Amino acid sequence: MANRRQPRFRGTSYPTVEQINSDVISKLAHEYWAPSDAEMDSRKPFSLDVVKSVYHDIVSGRFSSRRLVLLDFSQYLEQFLWPNFNGQTADSVELVMSITALVNEKKRERAPVWQAFKEKPEQFALFFRRVLELCLAPNNYTSADGQLAFSSVEKCQLLIFLGHCVTSLEEDLIREQVQKIFGLPIWQSLSTKRLEIELKKVPNLKKPWDRLLKKDLKVDESATKEEHFFRHFMRNLMQSFENTLVAVTPDGPLPPGTQNYCEHFLNLMIDCQSSLNTRRFFHAVMDDAHILVKCRLALLYGRKEGRVFAQLVEALEFYSSYEITLTGSDLSEQERSVDHYGRATALQRIVYSLFPDREAIKKFAMAPVFKIDTRTALKAFFDSLSLDDLRKVADRVGVLGNRNSIETNENVGDAGLLSKEILTEVLIEFHEKRISQLQRVNEMAIYPTEDIIWDDALVPDEYTLTSETMPLPKLHLQFLSLHDYLLRNFQLFRLESAYEIRTDIEDAVARMKPWRNELGGTVFGGWARMALPIVHFEVFDVGKPNVGCKPPSRVRAKLTVTLNVRGNVRSEWESLRKHDILFLLTVKPTRTVGAKLEYNDHFLNQSGLAYVRGCEIEGMLDDRGNLIDELSEQRPQFSGETRTFRVWLDPNQYYHDFEATTNEGKENIYPTFNIVMRRKPEENNFKAVLETIRTLINSEWVVPEWLHDVLLGYGDPESASWKKMGSIIPTMDFNDTFLSVAHLESCFMEQSVELRNLSDLPMQPPFRLTFPVPETKKNGVKRSVEGDAVAAVLNVLTVEPYVFKKMSPYPRNEPKRNAVPFTPTQTEAIISGMQHGLTLVVGPPGTGKTDVAVQIIANIYHNFPEQRTLIVTHSNQALNQLFEKIMELDIDERHLLRMGHGEEALETKKDFSRYGRVNYVLSKRLELLSEVGRLQTSLGVHGDVAYTCETAGHFYLYQVLAKWQTYLAKIKASLNDADIADLFPFGNFFSDAPQPLFKRETREGDMSTAEMCYRYIENIFIQLEEFRPFELLRSGLDRTRYLLTKEAKIIAMTCTHAGVKRQELVQLGFKYDNVVMEEAAQILEVETFIPLLLQKPEHGHNRLKRWIMIGDHNQLPPIVQNKVFEKFCNMEQSLFTRFVRLGIPTVDLDAQGRMRPSLCALFSWRYKRLGNLPHTYRMPAFLTANAGFAYDYQMINVDDFNGVGESEPSAHFVQNLAEAEYVVATFMYMRLLGYPAESITILSAYNGQKHLIKDVLEKRCGNNPMMGMPAKLATVDKYQGQQNDYVLLSLVRTKTVGYLRDVRRIVVALSRARLGLYVFGRVPLFRNCLELAPAFSVLCQRPTQFHLYPSESFPTQRKLTDGLPEKPLVISSMPDMLNFVCELYKQKVQQLRPAIQASLEAEASSESEEEEEPSTTEPGVSVTEAATEKLEGPKQFLPREDLPFFPIRGDKGEVIEVDDE
């Protein structure tokens, strides 16, 4: 097991249920704010003394999460603090700070925060005002009663709260208050010169500014003072920060709380600068205060303790210097260059006008810009000026600032005028030529190195608290630009990959056991499946740099290893393919031979790991040194165990290392590599995704105009919806969407429907719908979106039937039809998906999300046959489910293509991969050519016309088409109806069709038959014309590329495949018009964005017309391994979830048909409206009770076993032996009653519990034919998107709710069962959790002990509505359940004895008649006894006195470590 790094911060220590119940806070809760109805009447009145007492406890614990979690569980905020906040209690600092602390804790726990404040929204403005006042309180501030001294720790809580407000602007309550401190009026705190400069930049702001000044003249003094407070708050907060910063000394201990306060302040500034809504006017204020310069020159910046502070300063500098306008437009490279040269030349003019007589000034003013815009040149020039001269220059430039605009009351100190050092740095920063962010990204190494991988601030470990400050980018609601959007995702994806790589490196190196021998060399005492010692490493090819670049164009090396390992491991190494990623490690161990790892020491200290570099495989070399062709079927034979790989190194990293070696005298690391490590292929695609993102950052890729602002989070949220797009398609065919007229009318109950039948057809499907024309006004006249004047626009939907054009007289070619009766909301989603624009479909469990997606795709395919649709999902499983349903509809399979390795799992014998589709086309071509040959024979045409697609085309043009046109002319001239059949030229060809071909009933009917037959023939030649390029293209690769770019109309791939293959797809000219995303709420932001840009723009525009996103943000988000990236950086937020938070219109599916209505009630509260389809009340499966159980769902309370509840042998590896035994015993009970094993799934909230249950299952049931194993054993997270009839759910936790407090996880857990759900957990713990109360209040309405009917067998005839037939057997505990199952098992075996004996005797008798064989039973043992012994199962079913069954992992829950390898 790999050694873990020594944690910088320990995770939260949660209180147990017993500790919660015995804590003094719980006693206070029962007296003052008990949430239960039973204790409501006995509550004591609100008392500020109680608030002060509790707050003193919080402060004394330095805002410990342990105390705050306890208060949160008791609903202290919702039931006591906020209901009693008003004008009389607002002066209480303890009350305000208590509310703030609990909000921060809720945010840290990812619990809903702002809902509580909506109960009294009118008081929030007062509360926010009090928070701002306390933010400006001096460090020596004391409360009015003299009992509370305000500390820096408390100020940190206030800054954290402000940060949460800044990042929660989607809430109207929050946005209204935040605008007061970030709106245009805050420019009143700017210096006069800077204000003039800013107003000149955006002339449109001059009028609003003048109106603001006039409005201020009309308000009274108190209102002016109030407005002044808000407008100067941010400037005063920055001054307070400066006062704290200057208190730091060069050495000695830091003032208490100073470091944390400064870090939290910078974190707040970063949040303000990284969102356009807060940055727009605040950026000038912060720049005018010179915060960045003062931070860089501060003593804390250079101290060892200030490492994180310095990294935060760099992050703030990135956002502060981001090239963007007030309106949110990115500055182009040319605009940035013009701006820079404008500043430099303006400086030259200013200094020359101020000091015309100085020679040095003249020389500076006359110099070319490229000689004066470097930091070195500027510093030399400004250092030569006096302080007064610098002030004059800074004033003329507009960067001097204005101290007079800052409040000078007792709450704000004065740091004095700017020093020469600060002024010099300010002027240098304003005029120097900076390296662009694009250049920095291009110079960045793709592979993480040891400096990044083991940097606690950049790649935190699992113990780091998410409440700490870290210099990491965050994914909020809004982004500054697409460049900023991609850059943040690039950085986070790179760091998340580094975290996963670190875990693999630590595991592999620990298994290798590097030791230092007596000679100082390195020996390895162990082995690892994923790593090998390096025999030889050599860099042999360094390409010349490309024009304008410094790094080499390529760097190649040879890597030699010895494969003296097991055969299967050797095969894995030899199977490495081109573009696979390896990692080269240098270890210089200090531990001597035999020394063991100390788990409390830092990994680097023990392992001696010095360097980490990545590389990409070019190929493996044979014994002669030639590159092995991977496509060759014959693999070369090797003479020994030595293998050599040729690899590509990262040119950027190689250049940095070369510079460090040459200029800084550092070690040349490349000859020192002694370990090579590989990773699992599915985990090792990070490089391709990172390169894709970097390519996008460098490219002028065009996002559709209608999508640009929505992606960044600005503008009208409804602007991309189909009703606002201005390009509505008025009429579309809905094919088989509606099953009947009644079904159609039921889908449009709230809209007027006009049934129109101009063709006198039966009013039956298919239907063509014409939507109301949206109107616009221009010059007072109502017009349609096309600009045509309209008299009136009515909200009337026109419906008319039409006839499917039959394509074949053969029944085998009858098209498949949809049979799903879509609900009104499903129909709304289908309509929205067929129109242009962005469609968001929220699909709760069981509401038919996949059926909706399939119907949208099919309707687009038939309405717009020239368009191409890209299907993207998160997982291969979901993609295959969607693809299999598409295959069942009326879609020509030659237009279907499934990309990626998951295609093999499709439940079909057909191959839908690229090469499989090529083979299908080639075989279909031969089939069609044979049909052409048959047609030729029937027409009596001579020659080999069916040889190729080209000859078939000539045959069609000169023979088939000519005969058809001649036939039509004859029919048109003839009045005899019989001529239609008699003159038909292709009658012999259709001799194998059902006869008679022509009914000879009506002229129209026979003519329709003739046209149908000709369409069948015509379609043969249309397909052959499409297949003609496959004749001309000779190689399989070229054929697959043509298939991908031209032939396929519906292309399916996972988001990972899209990210990895993007560059290849773009180079091939891949094009598509529509994107359909399933599981959109489970896909990372950047992985959702990349599929939009898999094609080149056409004439500067993106051809994308539709983007359909289908998902459920109320279920689990994307999986992020590092919890800090997941929570602190908000990396778990999918683009789908962000769109929902931004208020983009959604179509919420509102009827489920998967499970019993009673099971749906467990989670339906989470959705706006979620009902049940009618069949859930009618189908026998939903009406029949669960055999052997009194209820269809129950929450079973599981107490500690032998004094042990949950155990956590390693971080997040939580187990609960009592629940594991209880769950397995219930599974055995169900199997003994006859439940099929494939209908039962066991779920666990934690991976550790899953492994424990697996061990118990294998021990109890694995070798027992009466039991078997359940259909699936998985964690809740891994089981999302799947379901089964019966689910046994283990919640595991007994001390704290843990991450089950995330409502989304509970929704997934409770929605996987169709017929029966049995939840095992600690009832008192989960019942008292506020966020989970709606679900567990329903669960706990039923008994929390099993009520069983063991006399029943599966399936039972008892109905749910019949009531309980008799007094049930009540199981009080886990040991009782185990003993009961043991006895029941024995009874079942006894019942089966006669039947088994008779069967065995009959079998033995038949065998003896054929030939005599010696008996296989032991002497003295009867056949019956032998069979019985076989069926009695493993010996662990015999009860013990101290334990019903032998324990799997120890009586006290200890974990037995198992080496996976």
Side-chain angles (χ1 to χ4, degrees), residues 1331-1357:
E1331 290 76 22
L1332 308 182
F1336 284 91
S1337 62
V1338 177
L1339 280 170
C1340 294
Q1341 288 175 2
R1342 294 183 175 180
T1344 57
Q1345 296 178 334
F1346 256 141
H1347 284 48
L1348 307 178
Y1349 292 109
S1351 60
E1352 292 184 340
S1353 60
F1354 179 89
T1356 183
Q1357 300 300 316

Side-chain angles (χ1 to χ4, degrees), residues 1400-1414:
L1400 291 176
E1401 289 176 350
E1403 182 180 352
S1405 174
S1406 62
E1407 289 179 355
S1408 63
E1409 292 177 0
E1410 296 177 2
E1411 96 183 86
E1412 293 187 4
E1413 293 184 357

Side-chain angles (χ1 to χ4, degrees), residues 276-290:
L276 190 59
N277 282 342
T278 50
R279 171 198 175 91
R280 182 175 281 113
F281 303 112
F282 170 71
H283 172 69
V285 176
M286 196 192 90
D287 192 49
D288 198 39
H290 310 308

Side-chain angles (χ1 to χ4, degrees), residues 1228-1241:
M1228 295 166 60
Y1229 169 71
M1230 296 176 72
R1231 293 288 292 126
L1232 291 172
L1233 295 189
Y1235 283 86
E1238 60 270 17
S1239 297
I1240 306 172
T1241 290

Side-chain angles (χ1 to χ4, degrees), residues 703-807:
V703 172
E705 294 84 352
W706 51 271
L707 201 54
H708 182 275
D709 290 348
V710 172
L711 270 172
L712 297 182
Y714 303 112
D716 181 7
E718 300 182 9
S719 62
S721 63
W722 70 277
K723 295 181 180 179
K724 294 288 187 74
M725 283 285 290
S727 57
I728 293 178
I729 304 170
T731 301
M732 285 188 291
D733 297 341
F734 275 74
N735 301 297
D736 53 0
T737 303
F738 304 105
L739 307 184
S740 64
V741 174
H743 176 217
L744 184 146
E745 291 178 334
S746 69
C747 292
F748 298 99
M749 297 292 290
E750 299 180 359
Q751 189 170 6
S752 299
V753 177
E754 178 187 347
L755 300 177
R756 184 181 298 173
N757 194 352
L758 301 178
S759 303
D760 197 25
L761 297 171
M763 190 55 69
Q764 63 185 21
F767 295 114
R768 180 177 292 116
L769 273 60
T770 301
F771 300 94
V773 180
E775 62 184 44
T776 59
K777 281 191 177 182
K778 186 175 182 182
N779 300 326
V781 180
K782 292 182 178 181
R783 298 182 180 276
S784 68
V785 291
E786 290 81 9
D788 301 326
V790 293
V793 180
L794 301 176
N795 188 27
V796 176
L797 180 70
T798 304
V799 179
E800 57 181 327
Y802 66 97
V803 178
F804 276 125
K805 290 184 178 180
K806 294 191 68 175
M807 301 297 294

Side-chain angles (χ1 to χ4, degrees), residues 9-23:
F9 308 108
R10 291 298 301 181
T12 303
S13 176
Y14 289 104
T16 64
V17 177
E18 293 74 15
Q19 289 171 334
I20 291 175
N21 293 331
S22 61
D23 196 279

